[in-house]
Amino acid sequence: MRKVLLLAACLLTFSLSGCGKEQSELYDKGMEAMEQQDYVTAIGMFQGAVEAGERLAESYRAVGIAYLESSEYDKAAEAFQNSRDAMEHKHEAFQKDVMFYQAQALQLAGNTDDALSVYDQMEEEFPDGDVYFSRGCLYLKRKGYDNARADFEKASEEDRSYRMCLNIYQMYQDSSMKADGDSFLEKAAGISPRDAEDYYELGCVYYYLEDTEKAREALETAREEGSTEALSMLGNIYLSQNDTASAREVFEQALGGDQEAAAQNGLALCDIAEGSYDSALEHIESGLSAAGEQDRENLLYNQIVVYEKKLDFAQAKTLMAAFLEEFPDNEEAIRESQFLQSR
């Protein structure tokens, strides 16, 4: 599940001034460099725009984003403050965007007191679920558990959605505080679903609450209403119930879409369960060509499992060594590696 860090897209622009095309030339060149991830050039262009007095608030904001992407967090935070100072007209969406960036830069720089101060200012000017959630995340990181809980409660009241409750749950889960997160899942379970996305997210809620049957029912409804997001989780539920025929049907439905890699991984798991190891390897190879980091980790791990099942322990050991070099924090792989050493 995706965590909320930077709440605005890098290339989001706001029209805050009446600059003509010629006046914005440096700024536009900076944006082109940002698209190419050439942050050194981008910073130079945006700073040139600042010196020329072009779109000051926007240019300072862009400088800040470029520094943020370059991991120069103190400079980023300073640029975002300059952007705030340069705002001639109140534009709530822009102001809020810059302040979120500023708080994030300060937090990454280790200046959490000032980051909290920015969130406090945001609460005064435009309190909403995102502000409370972000400040709650920072309190949680600082081990200010009571303050974090209070902010998360406010966030879930301001934004009464499955997504907010799931985000809060994930933060607690990442902090090894699952029991605290479960209460927000239970709150989410009381929300009435209205469309395919809601049913998918309700399915996630029940899945994390380990109520497999209710999760399956919600995800099946999401699937019937056209949700492609629901397919991977639904297939995994069928696998957990040893219903490989239903799981295979769901994973095959997901092929060719955004979940191609996850679907291929699911089909490989079906093959492993049925002892079709060569077919599993074919699905894994197909999935790797379309995999992002998380799917790649799953596929490569299952590739090792297949070779273990084939009793080819030499190949499994070779693949495990490469896997742990790429994913050294995978605890399941660390345990499995210890097993392989004995073979």
Side-chain angles (χ1 to χ4, degrees), residues 30-331:
M31 296 304 284
E32 290 173 7
M34 288 283 280
E35 289 178 345
Q36 301 299 318
Q37 299 182 352
D38 181 358
Y39 301 119
V40 173
T41 299
I43 290 168
M45 291 295 114
F46 292 135
Q47 286 180 333
V50 167
E51 292 171 4
E54 293 180 14
R55 303 165 68 168
L56 282 178
E58 291 168 279
S59 295
Y60 275 125
R61 171 186 176 276
V63 170
I65 293 173
Y67 276 130
L68 199 58
E69 293 292 337
S70 303
S71 301
E72 297 186 67
Y73 303 126
D74 288 322
K75 291 182 178 179
E78 181 182 358
F80 293 130
Q81 183 60 52
N82 288 337
S83 176
R84 293 176 61 188
D85 293 340
M87 293 180 195
E88 296 180 2
H89 308 288
K90 287 290 184 180
H91 189 297
E92 183 174 311
F94 183 83
Q95 184 180 1
K96 183 177 176 183
D97 174 84
V98 171
M99 292 177 77
F100 267 124
Y101 272 125
Q102 183 183 23
Q104 185 64 31
L106 289 165
Q107 184 174 340
L108 289 169
N111 193 345
T112 56
D113 286 339
D114 283 350
L116 283 174
S117 178
V118 173
Y119 286 131
D120 291 344
Q121 294 169 43
M122 294 177 75
E123 180 187 20
E124 292 178 7
E125 297 189 44
F126 24 73
D128 65 14
D130 288 339
V131 172
Y132 289 124
F133 172 76
S134 298
R135 190 173 65 180
C137 292
L138 181 50
Y139 275 129
L140 190 62
K141 183 177 181 179
R142 287 164 53 111
K143 302 187 187 304
Y145 300 123
D146 289 341
N147 287 330
R149 180 80 187 191
D151 270 348
F152 288 149
E153 290 287 357
K154 291 176 184 177
S156 62
E157 288 300 318
E158 290 286 334
D159 181 356
R160 299 178 63 83
S161 67
Y162 297 108
R163 179 54 47 194
M164 178 58 75
C165 291
L166 285 165
N167 283 341
I168 294 170
Y169 166 79
Q170 190 64 56
M171 294 307 302
Y172 276 123
Q173 172 77 350
D174 291 347
S175 300
S176 301
M177 300 173 66
K178 183 181 186 303
D180 294 88
D182 282 350
S183 64
F184 289 93
L185 294 180
E186 290 162 1
K187 179 183 289 191
I191 301 173
S192 298
R194 296 170 296 179
D195 53 26
E197 183 177 359
D198 282 354
Y199 277 107
Y200 162 64
E201 292 180 344
L202 179 59
C204 293
V205 167
Y206 282 126
Y207 184 82
Y208 295 130
L209 283 172
E210 300 179 11
D211 190 333
T212 306
E213 189 55 31
K214 285 186 178 179
R216 185 193 63 77
E217 291 174 1
L219 292 169
E220 276 290 6
T221 301
R223 177 192 184 191
E224 290 168 5
E225 296 196 5
S227 170
T228 57
E229 289 181 294
L231 297 175
S232 181
M233 184 173 286
L234 181 59
N236 287 326
I237 287 175
Y238 280 125
L239 270 176
S240 72
Q241 297 174 334
N242 298 316
D243 186 351
T244 54
S246 295
R248 189 179 295 278
E249 177 190 350
V250 172
F251 288 129
E252 286 176 348
Q253 185 181 346
L255 291 174
D258 294 339
Q259 297 190 58
E260 173 72 17
Q264 294 286 3
N265 185 63
L267 289 169
L269 290 172
C270 291
D271 287 334
I272 292 170
E274 295 172 351
S276 302
Y277 303 129
D278 290 337
S279 177
L281 289 175
E282 291 175 6
H283 284 300
I284 288 169
E285 286 299 323
S286 296
L288 285 170
S289 65
E293 183 175 0
Q294 185 59 60
D295 287 323
R296 176 177 170 80
E297 184 173 358
N298 293 335
L299 286 158
L300 290 176
Y301 182 80
N302 288 328
Q303 186 179 50
I304 296 167
V305 171
V306 171
Y307 279 105
E308 287 184 13
K309 296 287 187 180
K310 288 166 68 72
L311 304 182
D312 187 346
F313 296 113
Q315 179 66 359
K317 287 179 182 179
T318 299
L319 292 172
M320 180 62 82
F323 181 91
L324 287 174
E325 186 172 339
E326 186 172 353
F327 304 104
D329 298 324
N330 188 306
E331 294 181 2

